[in-house]
Amino acid sequence: MLKTTHNLIKDVGKKLGLTSEQIEKLLAVDKIHEFEIQMESGKKHQAYRVQHSNKLGPYKGGIRFHPDVSLEEVQALAILMSLKAAAIGLPLGGAKGGVAVNPKEMSLAELEELSRDYVLNLHEHIGPDKDVPAPDVNTDSQIIDWMVDEYEKLTGDTSKASFTGKSVKAGGSLGRDEATGRGGVIVLRQILNKLAPSQSLGEAVSNRIVKRQAFATGLSISEPITYAVQGFGNVGAHFALVAAQEQPDWMLVAATDSSGGVYSPADLSVKQLAQYKSDGGRLHELNEGRAISNKELIGLDVDVLVLAALGGAVTEKNMHQVKAHAILELANGPVSDEAAKHLESKGIMIIPDILANSGGVIVSYLEWLQNKQGEHWTEAEVNKQLEEYLVKATNRIYDMAQKRSMTLKEAALAVAIERLVKS
Ligand code: NAD
């Protein structure tokens, strides 16, 4: 993963005309904190915090608890965080943390002990103006609330701005739960608004998507945009719920979870699906439309394939099945690099994760701002600011792609790299 991240930066850096010295500087991490957490039970767990760059603002990035956590992975994720913050224009740097542990084998008391010990080891190196961690894989608002509490005890800081992703009662932001899905809707809508048949990137995308753009801008083409969601979890379901509310011209025709899912060319009821999932149902058992497998979903003839489950959903193995005109990457890395190259060569647009799923980090930033200013904003205020950031970021990345004849992924990295190099 680290090698792939380095190669991505090198490739785009070269396209931007950077020297090898400038590229090496971009790849170098500022600090690596590596320590062992010894539990009362006697068990030991390897823990990390990698701080890549704070040129644009305090370090920022999640903490994951997972058996596969390694220094190499945390390092790559820290670099990607710097790039993400820079690509969307946030005044934040990049970091990542992790503990190599299986939290599913731990009691609640052990999880709390692990979370507090992580902060005990790290508190001198983090803080509201130094490094602001957040939840990531297998860490949630409860874990962050324990960490904030521990940080307060150790440092006396009561601002709550030391971490983001807190529960709302402990200083978290309204709108955070749906932010990533909502952000995906804003980005996709903005891209559709930008597409026009005369533009070169528009030509690379199917005529059908371009026709939809005419629809979106008020011309009289009445066919709706069809989309399918792989991974109807927090992000996927919120994407569909916000789309149903704000984009009545978008039609959900298929959705899956890890069990498989349902397909109906005549529009699925998003509310019903979301309710069914939050009641603990498995989508393939839902009595609506017809049942489909995840394999089948990838090959559906829809306008937009929304990938909101896991990394590596589309690879060399199944890329030939894709019929969609565009892919929205809401998960991290759901399309492998080889698959992305192939699909883009066929004119399928990939809206990259670094932009498409950045709603979460933007609202994390807004949470930090509220804590710093001692304020608590309404959900409408948070959503308004989220929209402003994402519209600006999407426009800038889209325009970069046009100007430099790049894919959107390259363009997002190019915007990020330019910001980091200039700072
Ligand atoms: P989640 O656990 O709430 O939802 C994931 C969904 O994917 C579940 O419904 C699960 O059943 C389904 N799933 C798992 N394997 C699948 C498979 N093989 N095929 C189809 N569906 C499958 O997680 P989430 O918070 O919605 O996150 C989804 C993805 O988005 C993850 O990759 C995550 O890293 C990424 N992401 C999340 C956020 C966020 O704010 N939550 C931000 C950025 C990126």
Side-chain angles (χ1 to χ4, degrees):
M1 187 181 192
L2 188 58
K3 204 168 161 211
T4 313
T5 309
H6 281 186
N7 286 342
L8 272 175
I9 295 175
K10 282 180 189 164
D11 287 350
V12 177
K14 276 182 204 150
K15 282 195 183 177
L16 290 173
L18 299 193
T19 63
S20 39
E21 205 186 343
Q22 283 174 309
I23 293 175
E24 287 310 315
K25 260 196 186 165
L26 277 172
L27 302 180
V29 300
D30 288 349
K31 277 178 228 141
I32 294 176
H33 305 279
E34 197 174 356
F35 49 95
E36 201 172 62
I37 295 179
Q38 165 119 35
M39 306 282 289
E40 276 172 21
S41 64
K43 281 190 191 148
K44 293 175 184 172
H45 304 293
Q46 197 59 35
Y48 309 93
R49 182 75 181 167
V50 174
Q51 296 166 324
H52 170 246
S53 164
N54 61 357
K55 276 186 172 175
L56 297 176
Y59 299 109
K60 181 99 194 75
I63 300 169
R64 59 175 59 180
F65 291 171
H66 194 277
D68 296 341
V69 162
S70 67
L71 178 58
E72 201 182 85
E73 183 193 62
V74 176
Q75 212 169 319
L77 292 167
I79 300 173
L80 289 172
M81 245 341 267
S82 293
L83 292 171
K84 187 174 208 164
I88 45 186
L90 293 176
L92 295 173
K96 202 78 179 187
V99 184
V101 66
N102 186 354
K104 290 178 182 140
E105 288 171 356
M106 296 179 109
S107 67
L108 206 62
E110 283 175 318
L111 260 186
E112 179 171 355
E113 185 191 343
L114 183 77
S115 308
R116 289 185 183 275
D117 277 0
Y118 185 84
V119 177
L120 187 65
N121 277 279
L122 207 65
H123 70 279
E124 285 171 3
H125 308 289
I126 58 175
D129 297 304
K130 275 191 210 163
D131 182 351
V132 187
D136 195 70
V137 176
N138 293 332
T139 50
D140 57 12
S141 58
Q142 170 63 83
I143 286 174
I144 295 296
D145 288 353
W146 287 325
M147 290 186 168
V148 173
D149 185 57
E150 190 63 28
Y151 185 80
E152 271 188 31
K153 281 185 188 156
L154 291 163
T155 64
D157 175 87
T158 54
S159 70
K160 313 276 184 205
S162 50
F163 289 77
T164 60
K166 300 173 288 289
S167 63
V168 172
K169 68 178 178 347
S173 178
L174 292 172
R176 173 63 187 91
D177 286 347
E178 64 172 50
T180 305
R182 176 176 288 281
V185 171
I186 297 169
V187 170
L188 178 59
R189 189 201 59 216
Q190 198 57 19
I191 295 274
L192 293 174
N193 284 345
K194 279 266 184 186
L195 292 175
S198 60
Q199 293 173 324
S200 60
L201 197 63
E203 280 161 22
V205 182
S206 86
N207 285 335
R208 232 171 128 205
I209 286 270
V210 173
K211 267 205 259 164
R212 301 299 189 273
Q213 189 271 337
F215 174 72
T217 51
L219 299 182
S220 60
I221 295 169
S222 56
E223 256 182 286
I225 287 173
T226 57
Y227 72 97
V229 176
Q230 184 200 47
F232 208 73
N234 175 40
V235 173
H238 277 125
F239 174 88
L241 284 165
V242 174
Q245 224 175 11
E246 300 190 356
Q247 301 292 152
D249 51 326
W250 297 3
M251 195 166 99
L252 177 70
V253 296
T256 56
D257 56 25
S258 56
S259 72
V262 284
Y263 168 74
S264 166
D267 203 0
L268 291 163
S269 160
V270 174
K271 266 195 183 158
Q272 193 194 341
L273 260 66
Q275 188 60 51
Y276 186 74
K277 279 299 289 176
S278 69
D279 292 344
R282 290 159 69 81
L283 283 183
H284 79 289
E285 288 165 358
L286 178 67
N287 195 13
E288 182 157 335
R290 74 171 168 84
I292 54 162
S293 65
N294 269 301
K295 196 171 165 219
E296 208 182 331
L297 179 119
I298 296 290
L300 284 180
D301 186 8
V302 288
D303 293 316
V304 183
L305 186 57
V306 178
L307 298 178
L310 301 167
V314 178
T315 63
E316 278 171 302
K317 280 188 191 152
N318 59 0
M319 63 191 186
H320 298 285
Q321 293 165 22
V322 175
K323 294 195 193 79
H325 306 295
I327 293 181
L328 186 70
E329 288 192 319
L330 289 185
N332 288 316
V335 182
S336 74
D337 286 342
E338 300 77 24
K341 279 192 187 111
H342 166 79
L343 294 171
E344 276 157 348
S345 75
K346 286 176 60 187
I348 296 171
M349 176 188 270
I350 298 178
I351 305 170
D353 50 5
I354 192 172
L355 171 67
N357 71 21
S358 64
V361 71
I362 295 173
V363 173
S364 283
Y365 166 67
L366 299 176
E367 176 181 336
W368 177 75
L369 271 189
Q370 290 171 71
N371 298 147
K372 295 266 295 172
Q373 295 166 7
E375 294 176 356
H376 190 63
W377 302 342
T378 62
E379 192 165 346
E381 178 61 25
V382 172
N383 289 346
K384 184 173 144 255
Q385 295 213 29
L386 170 67
E387 168 128 8
E388 281 170 14
Y389 267 101
L390 274 175
V391 167
K392 228 194 245 177
T394 308
N395 288 347
R396 182 150 181 188
I397 290 167
Y398 188 91
D399 293 345
M400 171 69 91
Q402 294 270 301
K403 195 174 102 190
R404 299 236 181 211
S405 300
M406 287 175 163
T407 65
L408 287 174
K409 184 171 190 160
E410 289 171 332
L413 290 172
V415 167
I417 289 171
E418 278 193 342
R419 279 204 174 110
L420 282 165
V421 168
K422 278 185 196 150
S423 62

